[in-house]
Each structure stands twice: as C-alpha cells, then as structure tokens.
Amino acid sequence: MRMVSGFLSGLSLVLALYAPARAATPDTVDFAALTWTEIHDAIHGGDTTIIIPVGGTEQSGPYIAVGKHDARAMILARRIARDAGHAIVAPVVAYVPEGGTSPRTSHMRFPGTISITPATFRALLSDAAESFRVQGFRRVVLIGDHGGYQKDLRAVADTLNHRWQGQGAHVLYVADYYDVVPGAYSTWLRQHGHAAEVGMHADLSDTSLMLALDPALVRTQALRAAPLPTPAQGVYGGDPRQASAALGQVGANMQVAAAVAAMQHDPTGQNPH
C-alpha cells in the first residue's frame, strides 16, 4: 500500500512538472488577442457583452488614410469596453456598403474605397452576432463609425432581437455613438469658433478625431500647406486645415460617453454585468 501511495505521489509530481502552465490572462479587451480558453473563462466570469466595432474602408480626401473608420472604431470600442466593464471587443468590420460599383457612386468614385452590398453587410453582421451568441455572450453591441450604414445596423439589431426571443441574448444598436459627431460635437465646434470649418466628410471634425486617436493616419504637413480642399478631392465642405488633436479629443470623449450611457441604460431591460 505504501508503494502504491509513493507511486501515485511521484506520478502527481511528474504531471505537475510537465503539464502546460496556465498563463495569466493578458490585460486586453480584444477578442482576437485572447486564446479560446481565455475567452471561455472571461464569459463564465461575467464578461458577457461583445462589442462589434464597424468601420469601413473609404476615401477621406488627400490627407487622411483610407483606414480612418477602422482605426477610430477599434480604438474607441476599446475605451468603451473598459469604461462600461464586463465587455470584450470583436475584430473591426472593415467591409461595409460604400457605394455602387457599376456605375461607380458615392465614395466608390475614388480609389481607396471597398464596398459590399447592404444585403451582404447585414448577413455578415448577423452571422458574426450568431457566432457570439452560441459561445455564451448575452449582449452584442453594434457601434458604427460611418453614417451610410446606420440603418443597416438598426435592421440587423431588430431582426436578431426578434429571432433571439427566449434565448437569453439580445443586440443593442448604439445610434448615439455615431450621431454625436454630426450632432453634439459639430455643435460644440461651431460654438467654439469653427462654424465655417465644419463640413460633412474629411472636414475639421473628421480630421481632428483622427489626429486625436491615430495621428499617423493624417498627412499633417501636407495638409497644413494645402489650399482649401474641394469636393473633387473627396473633402465635402468645411476646412480641415486647422484640425487638432485637442479638438478631436473632445469629440472622442463625447462618443465614448454616449456609448457607455447607452449600454448602462439598455432599452431592452437586459444589461449584463
């Protein structure tokens, strides 16, 4: 009996020495930076909200890189996840409706834009959300950094919420995340002496947000020396030349605050913690 006990003790020691060590979970909210076991543990530990940041690849004039929306959506989604708590951020959706290809319309008139059909876009988001639901996420949050597909985000949320009734999961479409840019943020800029510089695309607000969040994507030196950009160059109104990170940080803070508030006051009445 003593020999058996000694053998088992020795076997336990060997297994402990050679078993793969369980690494500490990294300090990240990025789904793609976690292992499947870390995601499993996070869900079972209460991180049951997944944020899908939707960006888009489009021309933004001569002075902002075409990955503008992707970078902003991802950076802000991380801030939102940390401020809201118990949330993980999915990989950014970079392929979105941006105009027709035959004939070429909207941003597709310029090189640097990638467009998919609204039907494809809705199907992509629906399938991704379903993937998260079956893993155990109880709430899928949709935030979109571009105005053209906001109606599609709302439609996906409505469709899935109807389909998921009784399954313990729901979708929250956060309209306020985008609406604050043409709304409260543009109003703030106008009230602080920048009325003539606010336009609709690649303007002061667009460029300032980019400078605040990822200045490497702005060709600042060329912008400062440029004449007033025109719609033919992909800048629709306003004047981006006086953009600054300080101005952009105001808008970024507004977007984060709006999204966190929407998550904290989830109208579905299901606010996972």
Side-chain angles (χ1 to χ4, degrees):
M1 187 71 178
R2 185 175 298 173
M3 291 179 61
V4 173
S5 177
F7 172 75
L8 292 175
S9 297
L11 179 61
S12 297
L13 178 61
V14 170
L15 291 175
L17 288 173
Y18 287 95
R22 191 84 176 228
T25 303
D27 181 21
T28 180
V29 293
D30 287 13
F31 184 91
L34 298 169
T35 68
W36 78 261
T37 53
E38 290 164 350
I39 292 168
H40 172 274
D41 291 348
I43 293 171
H44 286 269
D47 293 347
T48 56
T49 291
I50 183 88
I51 301 172
I52 301 181
V54 185
T57 308
E58 66 177 28
Q59 73 82 20
S60 286
Y63 308 111
I64 306 178
V66 299
K68 169 191 75 178
H69 285 308
D70 298 334
R72 289 206 314 236
M74 194 67 193
I75 292 167
L76 291 176
R78 290 171 179 146
R79 286 182 54 184
I80 293 163
R82 291 191 181 279
D83 286 1
H86 300 291
I88 296 175
V89 180
V92 69
V93 177
Y95 300 98
V96 307
E98 293 281 8
T101 57
S102 183
R104 291 169 65 176
T105 60
S106 189
H107 294 305
M108 276 306 303
R109 294 179 294 115
F110 297 83
T113 303
I114 303 171
S115 187
I116 63 176
T117 66
T120 300
F121 177 62
R122 293 185 185 191
L124 183 155
L125 288 176
S126 296
D127 288 352
E130 181 67 12
S131 295
F132 295 128
R133 184 191 68 80
V134 300
Q135 292 176 49
F137 287 101
R138 293 175 53 203
R139 177 169 64 172
V140 177
V141 177
L142 299 178
I143 62 169
D145 208 66
H146 173 52
Y149 52 64
Q150 296 296 318
K151 62 183 182 302
D152 298 297
L153 298 184
R154 185 181 298 278
V156 168
D158 290 345
T159 298
L160 290 180
N161 282 332
H162 178 74
R163 185 185 303 166
W164 290 355
Q165 286 183 7
Q167 298 191 51
H170 70 286
V171 179
L172 176 66
Y173 159 56
V174 181
D176 290 348
Y177 168 85
Y178 173 77
D179 289 346
V180 75
V181 175
Y185 180 41
S186 290
T187 298
W188 184 90
L189 288 170
R190 292 187 180 97
Q191 290 173 343
H192 287 78
H194 300 286
E197 298 159 66
V198 176
M200 296 178 62
H201 176 75
D203 65 337
L204 178 80
S205 63
D206 225 356
T207 310
S208 293
L209 284 167
M210 202 70 258
L211 286 170
L213 299 175
D214 193 346
L217 297 188
V218 181
R219 308 300 183 251
T220 309
Q221 187 173 354
L223 175 63
R224 299 290 185 241
L228 180 65
T230 68
Q233 295 173 285
V235 179
Y236 304 147
D239 185 350
R241 293 176 295 176
Q242 299 304 312
S244 71
L247 291 175
Q249 197 59 57
V250 173
N253 291 344
M254 287 181 175
Q255 286 189 278
V256 171
V260 172
M263 292 169 65
Q264 291 173 339
H265 301 91
D266 191 338
T268 64
Q270 303 175 63
N271 189 9
H273 292 293

